Amino acid sequence: MKNTLKKATLLISAFCLLSLPLLADSGISKISTDQAPKAIGPYSQAICAGQYIFVSGQVPIDPAVGKIVAQTIEEQTKQVLKNIEAILAAKNLTLENVVKTEVFLKDLKDFAAMNAIYAEKFSYENKPARATVQISKLPLDALVEISCTAFIPEAN
């Protein structure tokens, strides 16, 4: 058993090493814009991989001042979605390209108010799939954080 496991590990390692040059040409690229807050940690605002964009969780930082200025869940949700729109715009996309969102709320009691703003912004027919959860604390003590995945049509 140990010998088989050792061989499998060596094969996987060899495959990974041989795949490194392929990954460099795989179409994976970082997306960055000064119209949205800079990443506050070791991550990218978004990553483009093939026909998908993976937008990191956005908190309601106003990029003009570099901090959270919105106080209510409605104002914070608007700012978060504005940040996401700015990141998508860097690749000539809009919220209509979003296929999945993840919403993190500090308090699920804010769900209805957040959802009203969310519904205004995602008012088109094909709304994205979504998960919404309550968590104990968000970065910078924000009330809401949203991440998403967007699809890039062939024409882009």
Side-chain angles (χ1 to χ4, degrees):
M1 180 70 172
K2 281 184 181 180
N3 215 8
T4 303
L5 185 58
K6 198 180 230 182
K7 284 180 184 177
T9 302
L10 287 171
L11 281 172
I12 291 169
S13 297
F15 175 76
C16 289
L17 286 173
L18 291 172
S19 298
L20 285 176
L22 296 174
L23 290 174
D25 283 343
S26 65
I28 296 174
S29 61
K30 177 174 130 176
I31 299 171
S32 183
T33 176
D34 59 1
Q35 301 301 306
K38 296 197 181 330
I40 56 175
Y43 60 91
S44 300
Q45 286 176 329
I47 290 291
C48 181
Q51 284 190 260
Y52 290 93
I53 292 178
F54 301 90
V55 178
S56 293
Q58 295 297 303
V59 293
I61 295 173
D62 180 337
V65 294
K67 63 181 184 176
I68 296 175
V69 293
Q71 299 301 310
T72 68
I73 188 64
E74 293 89 353
E75 293 170 330
Q76 287 197 13
T77 302
K78 285 178 186 177
Q79 184 63 56
V80 166
L81 292 171
K82 185 177 177 180
N83 295 344
I84 290 172
E85 286 177 304
I87 294 167
L88 293 172
K91 288 295 270 184
N92 298 316
L93 300 175
T94 69
L95 291 177
E96 289 191 59
N97 297 95
V98 175
V99 295
K100 173 84 168 90
T101 62
E102 297 83 22
V103 179
F104 305 95
L105 291 172
K106 185 175 179 181
D107 190 338
L108 272 178
K109 290 179 186 171
D110 288 334
F111 180 82
M114 176 282 302
N115 201 49
I117 302 302
Y118 183 97
E120 286 175 17
K121 293 302 245 175
F122 290 99
S123 61
Y124 47 89
E125 184 179 347
N126 292 324
K127 294 165 183 40
R130 179 176 82 182
T132 303
V133 296
Q134 175 177 312
I135 60 174
S136 63
K137 189 161 176 79
L138 288 166
L140 305 175
D141 212 25
L143 301 176
V144 61
E145 178 176 348
I146 301 174
S147 63
C148 69
T149 304
F151 179 74
I152 305 168
E154 291 281 340
N156 277 10

